[in-house]
Amino acid sequence: MSISQWSDLPNELLEIIIDHLHTKIDLTRFSSVCESWRSSALPYRNRVVLPAKVSYLGPSHLQESSLLLTESTVYHLSPLESCAMASTSNSSPSGWIVKIKENQELGQQLHLINPLSPLRVHPLPDSFPKVLNSLQFRVFELTKSYTLQYSNLNHCNYKVALNPNQDCPSLMVVAAGVLWHLKLGQDRWTAIDDMESQLSYEDVIVYRGKFCAVDEFGRAVVVDSDLKITEIASVISGGAGDKKNLLVFNGELLLVDRYLSKKHNYMYYNIGRRTSSVKVEKFRLYKLNLDQERWVEIESLGDQILFLGEDCSYITSAKNFSGCRGNCIIYCDPEFKVYNLDYRSFAPVNQRPEYINIFNPFTPPPPPHYGPRHSNGSSGKRLCI
């Protein structure tokens, strides 16, 4: 029996494959298989074209007239030679996490972003390659994050979510505990009317095609296209922690609840402003039971690592990183730390070499300082993919 070539695959099957490619990386790798596949693939276009600016959210007498809207993508990269070696030796491949922001206004220029915050890494670390050839890596898109910036490039202290619904693409943000909604292409923000949780919302994401928000007590709601609110989870029974984050994993809604100790106050420069912070004492994790409209506590993440960021959170398997174990949370406080859910223990990432490697060739951020953490200057080194 003769062996068929990939280039002989019928056009109708190629069209089915292309319909399931939702990222630029996927389409690039598809096009690189052979000439016939490349000719079948149309140039990548985002399902939603994001405006560079949106109307300002705040008092009209201030000088700001608009805010900059930025999109970043978190990738897991693994060198192809590492994957090949791992498949033959039953070991984990060596890979790392990078977050990239594409600046549409500067000729598609790319910027390296801190994996756990919206801050730009500038200048690039000496160890970071000038060019990342995506064809030399297995590339997986883990998530996207969205931020709003003032005209001076400082980040707004808002949680931002984008619903890419093609019929009505829109943004929702949490600002000072209030939910605000903006249809892309319009100028007016709309405050979501919810007397029960108003002024106490802490996070917002997209879940099952709708905006989903949680307040400081764990009450969760979804907001439909008509801005109607539906409660999907009541407050956490037995009392809640101090800071909530939502994320979706394998189609399920998870809640991360952070308990803080008021005994360890310190100051650090966070998202463009000096911030008073406190040490994390523990984390508790919950999964939504949608039928019962309540949060159910989960004790273990299995072999998964949860990356808890300021602008987005995501989960991936520890098997993607050589020497790492799962069932842990990596977060910024303000340095990178690892929280082990098995032993309820903390450790700085710089004391755990296996976890440092997750961010190589990106180096975890240096100790906090009190100057601006953005820069318009050039480091003499440009990131290209």
Side-chain angles (χ1 to χ4, degrees), residues 264-283:
H264 301 284
N265 285 285
Y266 58 89
M267 304 292 292
Y268 70 97
Y269 206 84
N270 176 34
I271 319 184
R273 65 183 63 188
R274 183 177 288 192
T275 304
S276 176
S277 185
V278 290
K279 292 287 186 181
V280 177
E281 283 192 334
K282 66 177 180 179
F283 291 95

Side-chain angles (χ1 to χ4, degrees), residues 75-328:
Y75 296 103
H76 166 236
L77 305 181
S78 186
L80 292 179
E81 60 271 19
S82 169
C83 297
M85 292 176 59
S87 63
T88 58
S89 62
N90 251 347
S91 60
S92 297
S94 60
W96 58 84
I97 298 290
V98 296
K99 186 194 290 184
I100 305 294
K101 181 177 75 173
E102 187 172 313
N103 194 325
Q104 302 289 350
E105 293 186 325
L106 295 176
Q108 307 287 322
Q109 185 176 347
L110 303 177
H111 299 301
L112 184 67
I113 306 299
N114 187 306
L116 297 180
S117 86
L119 300 177
R120 177 182 171 190
V121 179
H122 185 86
L124 289 176
D126 292 336
S127 61
F128 201 91
K130 294 180 180 179
V131 176
L132 285 176
N133 185 345
S134 61
L135 299 181
Q136 295 177 349
F137 299 90
R138 291 182 63 188
V139 183
F140 299 94
E141 182 178 310
L142 297 179
T143 191
K144 289 184 180 293
S145 68
Y146 300 90
T147 58
L148 294 173
Q149 293 176 270
Y150 299 110
S151 57
N152 64 2
L153 300 185
N154 279 338
H155 288 85
C156 305
N157 195 17
Y158 303 154
K159 300 304 292 282
V160 183
L162 170 75
N163 191 334
N165 186 320
Q166 290 183 317
D167 296 328
C168 184
S170 56
L171 292 173
M172 185 164 286
V173 306
V174 177
V178 179
L179 290 177
W180 293 86
H181 178 266
L182 177 71
K183 292 182 179 180
L184 296 186
Q186 298 188 1
D187 296 328
R188 184 181 296 275
W189 290 87
T190 301
I192 304 302
D193 186 14
D194 178 23
M195 295 301 296
E196 187 166 346
S197 295
Q198 202 71 296
L199 301 178
S200 66
Y201 279 108
E202 293 193 345
D203 199 11
V204 61
I205 63 170
V206 173
Y207 170 61
R208 295 189 174 184
K210 297 180 180 180
F211 290 112
C212 177
V214 65
D215 71 10
E216 62 181 331
F217 305 106
R219 176 177 178 259
V221 301
V222 292
V223 185
D224 62 22
S225 58
D226 296 323
L227 305 189
K228 177 184 176 182
I229 283 185
T230 302
E231 181 176 305
I232 59 172
S234 55
V235 300
I236 296 174
S237 60
D242 301 290
K243 189 174 182 180
K244 313 287 185 296
N245 290 90
L246 296 170
L247 70 154
V248 176
F249 178 61
N250 285 342
E252 295 192 287
L253 185 66
L254 303 185
L255 173 67
V256 184
D257 199 5
R258 211 175 315 195
Y259 288 74
L260 306 176
S261 170
K262 306 302 186 292
K263 298 179 181 179
H264 301 284
N265 285 285
Y266 58 89
M267 304 292 292
Y268 70 97
Y269 206 84
N270 176 34
I271 319 184
R273 65 183 63 188
R274 183 177 288 192
T275 304
S276 176
S277 185
V278 290
K279 292 287 186 181
V280 177
E281 283 192 334
K282 66 177 180 179
F283 291 95
R284 296 179 72 175
L285 300 176
Y286 299 88
K287 179 174 65 176
L288 175 65
N289 185 318
L290 195 54
D291 294 333
Q292 299 179 10
E293 298 183 358
R294 68 184 184 92
W295 294 109
V296 178
E297 188 167 6
I298 54 179
E299 300 293 336
S300 175
L301 289 170
D303 74 341
Q304 304 297 314
I305 299 176
L306 191 158
F307 296 84
L308 189 63
E310 296 173 10
D311 53 336
C312 66
S313 299
Y314 43 97
I315 292 180
T316 189
S317 173
K319 295 178 181 177
N320 292 324
F321 311 103
S322 179
C324 290
R325 293 185 177 182
N327 201 29
C328 65

